Amino acid sequence: MDAARAEALLDFLALADRLKTVERRGRVPLPGGSTRRENSAEHCWTLALIALLLHREVAREIDLARALSMIAVHDLVEIEAGDTYAYDPAACATQAEREAAAAGVVFGALPPDLGARLRALWEEFEAGESAEARFAMGCDRMQGFLQNVLSDGQGWKEHGVRRADTRPRMDPARAVDPAFERLIGALYARAADGGMLPE
């Protein structure tokens, strides 16, 4: 590795570190009963842990390294585009365009070979066609749902989200594999028992 490539990698890592400053709508419970907003880097860490736990629980063999690679890069575009709340129709309508533009900036900060490789992983995740991309998507959506359950539905309550609102987002994740169906079904049951997600 020459000096210019080393500098480019360090500069990109500094850029990527900004993911820690992108706030999501999910809440993180704190000692004493208060909460704070989750950030996108925390989301990605929990998502990676979910993937590590589940990759051998699903029926189809998953290339864990590829799935984790997609998980590591899938939200980097939020550094430029911001997080898009899943239950905000107006923001969702412009998400693909905003994130594609952000991908050019974020992945363009890398040397061309690495930028192309990471952008291809991001595009694979977004397309959702490979087994690993569908698995990663299932983990991603499950993490957001889990975070809401862990915070007693505070994020849902703040935004008036009802059970029916979650179905278009969660049904594709539940369909990935019976393991996702079981886990997400159990989360729905916890949400119902706790009065977190109105019918």
Side-chain angles (χ1 to χ4, degrees):
M1 177 184 308
D2 64 24
R5 189 172 178 88
E7 288 298 317
L9 292 180
L10 291 174
D11 289 346
F12 178 78
L13 289 171
L15 172 66
D17 195 64
R18 289 174 39 205
L19 195 61
K20 296 173 185 174
T21 68
V22 177
E23 288 189 331
R24 294 168 53 86
R25 302 290 175 91
R27 308 294 299 189
V28 176
L30 300 172
S34 64
T35 64
R36 65 166 174 79
R37 301 248 319 249
E38 177 188 36
N39 70 55
S40 288
E42 292 170 319
H43 158 72
C44 289
W45 172 79
T46 308
L47 175 50
L49 185 58
I50 290 168
L52 182 61
L53 293 172
L54 293 187
H55 83 281
R56 290 194 175 146
E57 300 293 329
V58 296
R60 187 164 186 170
E61 187 171 331
I62 296 296
D63 178 343
L64 182 61
R66 185 159 197 84
L68 288 173
S69 295
M70 280 186 263
I71 287 166
V73 304
H74 86 286
D75 275 344
L76 286 175
V77 295
E78 292 182 2
I79 293 165
E80 294 292 325
D83 178 61
T84 301
Y85 187 51
Y87 305 108
D88 179 345
C92 288
T94 64
Q95 181 178 7
E97 181 181 329
R98 286 182 293 106
E99 290 187 351
V105 173
V106 172
F107 301 123
L110 280 162
D113 62 317
L114 287 175
R117 190 168 89 202
L118 268 60
R119 183 167 185 144
L121 287 164
W122 175 75
E123 289 173 350
E124 181 179 351
F125 178 89
E126 291 298 312
E129 294 173 357
S130 68
E132 286 73 20
R134 287 189 300 277
F135 173 79
M137 174 276 297
C139 294
D140 181 49
R141 294 188 181 185
M142 191 177 100
Q143 190 281 334
F145 201 93
L146 170 67
Q147 198 64 51
N148 274 290
V149 171
L150 292 176
S151 64
D152 293 323
Q154 186 175 347
W156 288 326
K157 291 171 187 172
E158 287 172 357
H159 298 95
V161 176
R162 300 185 157 290
R163 183 182 178 103
D165 299 326
T166 68
R167 297 301 297 240
R169 181 156 183 84
M170 298 311 298
D171 285 352
R174 293 174 88 162
V176 169
D177 185 89
F180 283 96
E181 170 62 35
R182 178 164 301 230
L183 289 165
I184 293 169
L187 287 171
Y188 268 109
R190 289 183 184 193
D193 290 346
M196 303 172 202
L197 198 56
E199 290 293 339

